[in-house]
Amino acid sequence: MEPLIGHGAIRRELAALAASPEPPHALLFAGPEGTGRAALARYLAMCCNCEVLHPPTARASLFGEALPTPAAAATSEPCGACRPCRLIREGAHPDVITVGPGDTLCKPRDGETHPPHPDSAEIRICQVRGIGDLVARYPFEARTRVIVIDPADRLALFAAPALLKTLEEPPGHTIFCLVTAAPERTLETIRSRCRRIDVPPVARAEIEAGLLARGVEPALAARAAEAARGRPGRALAFIAEPDLIGARARILERCALVAASSVPARFDYARSLAERWRGDAEAVRFELECWEAFWEEHLRRAARGNDRRGIAGALEALRAIAAIREHLLANVQARPAFDLMLLRFPRVTLERSSEEELPAHA
């Protein structure tokens, strides 16, 4: 199988858990977005169900002859070629299911109906009800069913306690993988019933090596690894759409202009963000990622120069970005939220002297 980028220690831990007689019934994969949390959950599913790691018992053919049993595995790595591995990698295995905001596994109460909700911002209680109904039955074909809840911090108000009931009495044939960038937003009682796997950023050199191993051209691999900020998933997105790297560079230039601008100019920029949020939320999320990279670089520079004021300003800006993500998730009014974020950003000095007009959008 195509190897994951980085996280060798975590992969070894997951392989050992899958091989143990009693693997944990629930794991919490916590870490920044794009670091490979969901990919590691799928890797665990492969480890649990790979036919090379777990050979099926011999059975008789239609002609009375015993069918061959695959040889015992010489490695703890899933093969990536057997039917379970292929289906899991393609997202088509009937027993490896990802549940996120939308209507996957939606099951209304008996006697009730409600319209589909594919655009829901939360994981709703009807979906958790569907999870409970599913895990009450044996897997269709897997040795171990794996249910990935991503992102787990988006469980709705009554959905989280409903999931807790399932975790308190876990079925023996199912493993839950909760994926989140904000573990503190999940119920403490849910966290306490999960084995926590912290998924950190990956070193730039390791990401670049992983891209080269996939046959990526060296110059593009280097640029994508640098722009990914330790997140292999983002690096792969840059490889799939190389134009994103150029867009990122242009947004970073605009970030410098905005950070050096006056309050009225910042409000103009906030207005453009709010307008674009209504039409292309994903593009604005990408712009927020660029802002995060911009202030992280300022934080590194301030730390190298022992600039306490610069450190404090960069940290406040990063907190403002984290806050607006929470606000947007809670569906607050976008314009005042962006205004507040821009007001919390410290003012910086442009490194170039040219007087450039602040553009409204890329």
Side-chain angles (χ1 to χ4, degrees), residues 318-330:
L318 290 169
R319 284 191 289 266
I321 296 169
I324 196 171
R325 286 197 175 108
E326 294 287 334
H327 295 157
L328 295 173
L329 188 61

Side-chain angles (χ1 to χ4, degrees), residues 115-187:
H117 42 86
D119 298 324
S120 173
E122 297 179 314
I123 300 172
R124 298 169 55 159
I125 190 171
C126 57
Q127 295 176 269
V128 176
R129 193 179 299 119
I131 291 173
D133 184 66
L134 177 66
V135 301
R137 303 190 297 269
Y138 282 103
F140 293 103
E141 61 178 84
R143 174 178 176 269
T144 302
R145 177 188 287 122
V146 176
I147 295 179
V148 182
I149 300 177
D150 182 14
D153 52 272
R154 300 278 286 279
L155 284 160
L157 179 62
F158 297 107
L163 178 65
L164 178 61
K165 293 181 180 179
T166 301
L167 296 180
E168 287 175 336
E169 299 178 0
H173 46 70
T174 298
I175 293 177
F176 288 92
C177 293
L178 280 64
V179 175
T180 178
E184 70 282 355
R185 293 189 61 207
T186 62
L187 287 180

Side-chain angles (χ1 to χ4, degrees), residues 4 26 28-29 33-34 40 93 113 122 138 140-141 149 153 157 163 171 182 189 203 218 252 296 310 323 326 348:
L4 293 172
L28 178 69
F29 292 86
E33 293 184 6
L40 287 167
H93 199 293
T113 60
E122 297 179 314
Y138 282 103
F140 293 103
E141 61 178 84
I149 300 177
D153 52 272
L157 179 62
L163 178 65
T189 46
L252 287 173
E296 285 175 354
E326 294 287 334
V348 301

